[in-house]
Amino acid sequence: MEKEQNIQNLKQKIITKYNLTDIVVDLLISRGFDSEEKIEHFLTPTEKDFYDPFLLSGMDKLVARVNKAIEKNEKVLIFGDYDVDGVSASAILIKYFASKKFYVDYFLPNRYVDGYGLTNASILNIKQKYNPNLIITVDCGISCYEEVEYAKTLGIDIIITDHHDIPEKIPNTIVVNAKLPNQKYPFNALCGTGVAFKIVQALSGLNEAKKYLGICAIATIADIVPLVDENRAIVKFGMQNFNDNLPLGIKLLMKDNKLDFNASSTDIAFKLSPKINAAGRMGDAGVALKLYIKEDKLFLENTIETLNNLNTERQSLCNKVYEDVIEKLTHINLANYNCIVLYSKKWDSGILGIVSAKIANEFHRPTILFQEKDGELKGSARSVNDIDIFSAISSLKEVLEAFGGHKMAAGLTIKTQNFKNFITSINKFLAENYTVKDFVPCNNYDLDLTREQVTVKLAKDLECFEPCGCGNPKPVFNIKLDKTASVSPMPKHPNHININNKSLGIVAFNSYKYLPLIKSCSERNIQFELQISNYKNKSYIKGLAKNISTGLLEKPRNNDVIFGEYLKQVSFQQSTPKKVETYNKQKLQTLIENASKELFGTLFVCSTFEGYLEFLKESNNGKGCEHYINEVISNSGINAVILCPINFNNFGVYKTIVLLDPVLSKTYLNAIGEISNAKIYIPNYKKVDSGIFKNLSVDRNVFGHYFKLLSNFASSHASFYNEIDLYKKIKETNKEINFKQFIFCLQTFVELNILSIESEMELFSLIENKKVVSKLTNSNFYNQVSLILKTI
């Protein structure tokens, strides 16, 4: 009781002192800022947050060695990494030493020629080209014991400055890394550029180091280190002074990306950083470094054009690799794996980290993608939830040629001959050290809000959390949609949807697939970030959807769409027979009980709403299952029930598929078997609902009428998401049509090749083949349905 009273007293004090809404103060307290001192420290960072650099182990030795090099005019070389962090850290030291009239050489490895970090080959190359007395690494080197020893044999001293996780054996030289054990330094999450900033602070004081805060802020955001403690101060002060402490090239790059000096950390992360990173990903990080160290405006503008071209090329490569990965995954039963591990000779190692992150996020599994070259696999790993991929990889030292990284991301190299052993071993490690719950997609949010609590004042107060990012995410709220809430595709961008809930507009990007689900469920919740925009001197609030969650499906107004999709089962062509098992009512209960124990791997498929109701009755309202209509949206493989599937998207991630209604054709089962290795079950105690075929017509005039409607849309060259989308467009001007007859006609015309469907990027268009003429009775689908109609 006393503790609760203390919290209430604290809340009131902070509300009054900072003029914040109680919701924002609740958020601060929930994030661990549970004292006035902690809240003040978070809300108002000061220069006191920049810790004494000499508390870093090895910093005093570094300063002494660097000063010796300056005094004796030794040749010094900065050895960086090829990402934003490595380039930025290199830039800070190059610019700092130049400002002191002490000019240093630099070397940024080419990822395709030199590989990652210090290697014996790159050290020898540097010796022959630059002949330095001293190499200072930034953002790399902590795992390079042998390489440092090799450098010594060439008469080169090396100082290692890094921020990556500490291996068992560290280089026997001067090392500065905030993660080293037994540190006096109070913060261990600096990025590589943060360490470079501390080096300048140690060499010449804080005022000198502050000149590089803008560079350090960009790298700290880009490298996804926690934006708390000293990192928060670095980013906050750095961004406040972008105009004063950014190099001209970075300012021009911001302008080219339509960013002003009030850009948010999100803008930096998603608009600026990828452009800087593109150079290193495509081979030559030196292109990006020139933006930091050159001053000629025309040269810099040309460099930015080069970066833009490299980024476009990088995006194209990412798309190709992503599509290739997705194709490979269609041949793998993911339900049997905790980790996605794939390789190809065709893939470009420079962009595998990006694609791995995307695949991991989509499939909710750690993902490792490799490029094969000369008998070796060089790869990038990304993780999900709280699964430590670095520890998993570290446990497989017997098959590793090289590796490094941290909890959520890592790089590694193995021999091609060890690939199968690697897959088995890493999946075994994950199975032994994590439970199935660790792989369940996280849907975390901060607070539930009502529409009345969402105000302009709240949106403005939330800005006190900036800069947001890793370790300090933007607050996410949950709101329950009112029954009157409207949901519709964006007029010019139909893949995105607009949600209007009591005049609160929420945008859900790339969420068209959720549209039928939102409209079919009684309970709809949106998790969103609150944003504020200004227009004509007025402030407006809007939401950016981060997740959509729904409850049980409601009974549709009519069964036309459901029965129409059910009817399509007859249209499937002959394919490889798939062995299936039948079940009775008792067996169904066993299948449901088994699924509830596993959490992952089982999909229940309902072709009628009655089948769905039976499932709810037998399964405690489908507890533990995702509920879908038309399409399985998630590819995590978490247990799900789907009503009226219009495709087999993501069926391949399940071990077991249970059809809850009788099938109309064995070819339908065979088609499922071609895209999924799942064990398939069908009921042996149910009869087909004859209502599926009610009011269907085989009349040639009816088919002629529907063909005319379809032909008109084919000639318009319009694109649609699916047949239901096309049907709705036609029905807008032809109210008398019904979905069952529409499907009957469309599938018949497609089988006869009178019409064809072309798919591209999740959209399809209708093509009329005007030279093709055929009788309806040449269609097996038409004949099968006609035969059924005669028997009922």
Side-chain angles (χ1 to χ4, degrees):
M1 190 70 180
E2 182 181 349
K3 184 178 179 180
E4 291 180 6
Q5 187 59 52
N6 290 337
I7 292 294
Q8 288 302 317
N9 292 339
L10 174 63
K11 278 181 61 176
Q12 195 55 53
K13 195 169 186 177
I14 299 302
I15 289 170
T16 303
K17 184 174 181 178
Y18 293 99
N19 190 28
L20 295 172
T21 62
D22 58 345
I23 292 172
V24 171
V25 178
D26 283 336
L27 281 171
L28 287 167
I29 293 172
S30 70
R31 292 191 176 190
F33 304 108
D34 53 5
S35 70
E36 186 176 358
E37 181 182 6
K38 289 180 181 178
I39 291 175
E40 183 173 356
H41 183 244
F42 178 80
L43 294 178
T44 57
T46 68
E47 291 188 1
K48 292 180 180 179
D49 294 311
F50 297 120
Y51 299 120
D52 180 355
F54 288 100
L55 293 176
L56 280 164
S57 176
M59 184 63 83
D60 54 344
K61 295 178 181 178
L62 178 150
V63 169
R65 181 65 186 87
V66 168
N67 284 334
K68 176 185 173 183
I70 294 172
E71 289 168 10
K72 294 191 174 184
N73 199 29
E74 292 180 327
K75 295 186 72 174
V76 176
L77 180 136
I78 307 301
F79 188 105
D81 190 16
Y82 35 63
D83 65 358
V84 176
D85 193 19
V87 171
S88 300
S90 299
I92 286 179
L93 293 189
I94 293 166
K95 291 170 74 70
Y96 166 73
F97 286 124
S99 73
K100 302 302 179 185
K101 308 301 181 185
F102 182 75
Y103 299 95
V104 298
D105 293 314
Y106 63 85
F107 183 88
L108 300 179
N110 182 306
R111 69 164 71 229
Y112 302 107
V113 177
D114 306 299
Y116 172 76
L118 283 171
T119 64
N120 288 352
S122 62
I123 293 170
L124 180 59
N125 182 20
I126 288 168
K127 172 68 175 178
Q128 294 170 345
K129 188 173 181 180
Y130 301 101
N131 193 29
N133 304 104
L134 173 66
I135 293 175
I136 303 173
T137 75
V138 289
D139 191 33
C140 62
I142 193 65
S143 299
C144 298
Y145 178 90
E146 299 295 340
E147 290 79 5
V148 169
E149 294 305 304
Y150 174 69
K152 290 177 183 178
T153 66
L154 299 179
I156 302 172
D157 286 347
I158 293 187
I159 296 174
I160 300 295
T161 77
D162 201 350
H163 74 112
H164 292 98
D165 288 350
I166 308 299
E168 288 183 4
K169 193 174 186 180
I170 65 172
N172 183 23
T173 188
I174 298 170
V175 177
V176 176
N177 183 326
K179 287 190 172 78
L180 284 172
N182 304 315
Q183 284 274 355
K184 293 180 181 178
Y185 202 74
F187 183 62
N188 71 351
L190 293 168
C191 67
T193 307
V195 177
F197 168 79
K198 303 308 293 186
I199 291 171
V200 176
Q201 186 183 353
L203 288 168
S204 292
L206 181 57
N207 286 335
E208 183 72 25
K210 282 162 61 177
K211 296 176 183 178
Y212 306 101
L213 272 175
I215 295 175
C216 197
I218 289 172
T220 302
I221 293 167
D223 215 52
I224 319 179
V225 290
L227 298 189
V228 297
D229 207 302
E230 188 169 16
N231 282 341
R232 178 172 172 80
I234 287 171
V235 174
K236 193 144 189 171
F237 284 112
M239 293 179 69
Q240 283 175 358
N241 296 285
F242 268 170
N243 189 38
D244 297 324
N245 56 30
L246 279 183
L248 176 61
I250 301 300
K251 290 180 181 179
L252 291 173
L253 183 63
M254 290 182 71
K255 183 179 179 181
D256 188 68
N257 283 274
K258 297 179 173 57
L259 298 177
D260 59 27
F261 296 131
N262 293 317
S264 68
S265 54
T266 303
D267 291 328
I268 300 301
F270 291 100
K271 295 181 181 179
L272 197 69
S273 299
K275 298 289 180 71
I276 301 173
N277 255 333
R281 291 192 182 282
M282 303 311 295
D284 186 5
V287 175
L289 181 62
K290 290 169 185 174
L291 291 182
Y292 293 84
I293 61 178
K294 300 294 184 181
E295 296 293 334
D296 182 270
K297 186 175 181 182
L298 180 60
F299 174 84
L300 291 170
E301 287 172 344
N302 290 334
T303 301
I304 288 170
E305 183 178 356
T306 300
L307 274 183
N308 286 334
N309 292 334
L310 288 172
N311 192 52
T312 300
E313 185 181 351
R314 187 270 305 169
Q315 290 171 326
S316 177
L317 283 173
C318 283
N319 290 337
K320 288 178 182 177
V321 174
Y322 172 78
E323 290 168 6
D324 201 13
V325 171
I326 294 297
E327 197 281 328
K328 285 178 179 289
L329 290 176
T330 61
H331 304 290
I332 296 172
N333 191 340
L334 281 178
N336 295 325
Y337 297 95
N338 290 319
C339 186
I340 294 172
V341 187
L342 298 168
Y343 79 88
S344 172
K345 291 181 179 179
K346 298 184 298 181
W347 296 345
D348 189 311
S349 62
I351 48 84
L352 290 184
I354 298 174
V355 184
S356 291
K358 187 173 183 180
I359 295 295
N361 183 58
E362 286 190 16
F363 289 85
H364 302 283
R365 288 167 174 78
T367 298
I368 308 173
L369 302 180
F370 293 97
Q371 179 193 37
E372 183 188 26
K373 188 176 181 180
D374 300 328
E376 279 194 338
L377 300 175
K378 183 180 178 181
S380 289
R382 296 294 184 270
S383 195
V384 295
N385 293 357
D386 204 35
I387 298 171
D388 189 338
I389 194 65
F390 182 79
S391 293
I393 293 171
S394 300
S395 71
L396 310 177
K397 291 174 186 173
E398 69 278 3
V399 297
L400 297 174
E401 299 299 311
F403 76 101
H406 50 81
K407 183 175 181 179
M408 299 304 292
L412 66 159
T413 302
I414 64 173
K415 295 288 187 184
T416 304
Q417 65 194 41
N418 291 325
F419 181 69
K420 288 185 178 179
N421 183 25
F422 179 82
I423 292 178
T424 301
S425 299
I426 198 162
N427 275 282
K428 182 181 178 183
F429 177 91
L430 292 172
E432 291 174 349
N433 290 275
Y434 296 94
T435 68
V436 289
K437 290 183 179 179
D438 293 310
F439 294 86
V440 174
C442 292
N443 180 26
N444 298 326
Y445 62 88
D446 292 280
L447 290 172
D448 290 287
L449 293 183
T450 64
R451 172 62 186 92
E452 291 69 30
Q453 290 174 301
V454 181
T455 63
V456 171
K457 165 70 171 164
L458 173 61
K460 288 183 176 179
D461 285 356
L462 288 171
E463 292 177 357
C464 74
F465 284 93
E466 295 289 348
C468 293
C470 174
N472 180 42
K474 285 189 175 183
V476 175
F477 303 103
N478 180 73
I479 193 165
K480 187 175 182 179
L481 294 189
D482 185 77
K483 289 184 178 180
T484 61
S486 64
V487 187
S488 60
M490 281 189 186
K492 294 183 179 180
H493 304 281
N495 193 39
H496 312 315
I497 61 176
N498 286 321
I499 303 166
N500 192 295
N501 188 53
K502 294 183 179 178
S503 77
L504 172 63
I506 302 175
V507 176
F509 291 109
N510 301 309
S511 298
Y512 179 84
K513 291 179 181 178
Y514 282 93
L515 198 56
L517 190 59
I518 296 173
K519 291 184 175 181
S520 302
C521 292
S522 56
E523 183 176 332
R524 295 92 46 87
N525 287 274
I526 310 295
Q527 291 80 51
F528 69 101
E529 291 175 359
L530 191 57
Q531 299 181 332
I532 193 163
S533 58
N534 298 296
Y535 181 69
K536 292 184 177 180
N537 297 321
K538 285 189 177 181
S539 295
Y540 301 87
I541 49 173
K542 59 181 180 180
L544 177 62
K546 307 302 291 182
N547 187 65
I548 297 171
S549 55
T550 52
L552 302 183
L553 303 174
E554 290 186 312
K555 185 174 183 178
R557 294 178 182 176
N558 64 67
N559 278 327
D560 258 9
V561 172
I562 292 179
F563 282 168
E565 289 298 334
Y566 202 171
L567 180 68
K568 268 173 60 179
Q569 291 186 6
V570 184
S571 72
F572 284 86
Q573 302 300 308
Q574 290 295 331
S575 54
T576 306
K578 172 71 178 180
K579 186 177 180 180
V580 299
E581 288 191 27
T582 61
Y583 67 84
N584 55 27
K585 206 161 186 177
Q586 185 177 357
K587 176 67 173 178
L588 174 62
Q589 188 60 49
T590 301
L591 290 170
I592 291 172
E593 288 174 359
N594 289 342
S596 67
K597 295 174 184 176
E598 295 292 331
L599 292 181
F600 283 84
T602 303
L603 175 66
F604 297 93
V605 181
C606 309
S607 296
T608 67
F609 192 73
E610 288 66 32
Y612 177 68
L613 290 177
E614 181 190 11
F615 173 73
L616 295 184
K617 181 180 178 182
E618 298 293 332
S619 64
N620 189 22
N621 272 346
K623 187 177 180 181
C625 284
E626 301 286 347
H627 293 242
Y628 297 116
I629 188 168
N630 296 159
E631 188 169 359
V632 177
I633 298 172
S634 170
N635 42 25
S636 67
I638 196 168
N639 292 343
V641 56
I642 180 170
L643 172 64
C644 182
I646 62 176
N647 55 45
F648 301 140
N649 286 354
N650 299 321
F651 276 36
V653 298
Y654 296 97
K655 290 188 288 189
T656 305
I657 297 177
V658 182
L659 283 78
L660 296 166
D661 293 287
V663 293
L664 303 184
S665 170
K666 288 185 178 179
T667 54
Y668 179 72
L669 298 174
N670 299 342
I672 295 176
E674 287 188 348
I675 59 92
S676 172
N677 294 319
K679 197 169 186 178
I680 299 175
Y681 293 85
I682 58 174
N684 60 12
Y685 62 97
K686 292 183 178 181
K687 292 183 179 180
V688 174
D689 186 341
S690 61
I692 300 167
F693 304 97
K694 187 177 180 181
N695 299 326
L696 277 178
S697 174
V698 297
D699 187 88
R700 189 174 184 278
N701 291 328
V702 174
F703 272 73
H705 175 63
Y706 275 80
F707 177 74
K708 185 177 180 180
L709 298 175
L710 290 164
S711 176
N712 289 338
F713 272 83
S715 62
S716 72
H717 305 292
S719 295
F720 308 93
Y721 284 96
N722 48 49
E723 293 140 338
I724 296 174
D725 186 29
L726 170 59
Y727 167 73
K728 288 179 179 177
K729 294 290 193 303
I730 296 176
K731 194 171 178 65
E732 287 175 3
T733 54
N734 297 270
K735 303 291 185 185
E736 76 283 0
I737 67 170
N738 72 78
F739 189 72
K740 283 193 300 183
Q741 189 69 45
F742 165 81
I743 287 292
F744 188 16
C745 295
L746 175 62
Q747 295 299 323
T748 297
F749 296 141
V750 169
E751 184 183 345
L752 295 173
N753 201 33
I754 295 171
L755 295 173
S756 57
I757 293 173
E758 291 191 356
S759 299
E760 184 177 358
M761 296 295 290
E762 296 191 353
L763 296 174
F764 84 84
S765 55
L766 207 57
I767 309 296
E768 181 180 353
N769 304 315
K770 294 187 177 182
K771 293 183 179 180
V772 177
V773 178
S774 183
K775 294 180 181 180
L776 293 174
T777 51
N778 289 336
S779 163
N780 182 61
F781 176 50
Y782 177 86
N783 292 334
Q784 289 283 339
V785 175
S786 299
L787 184 63
I788 293 170
L789 290 175
K790 290 178 181 178
T791 61
I792 61 174

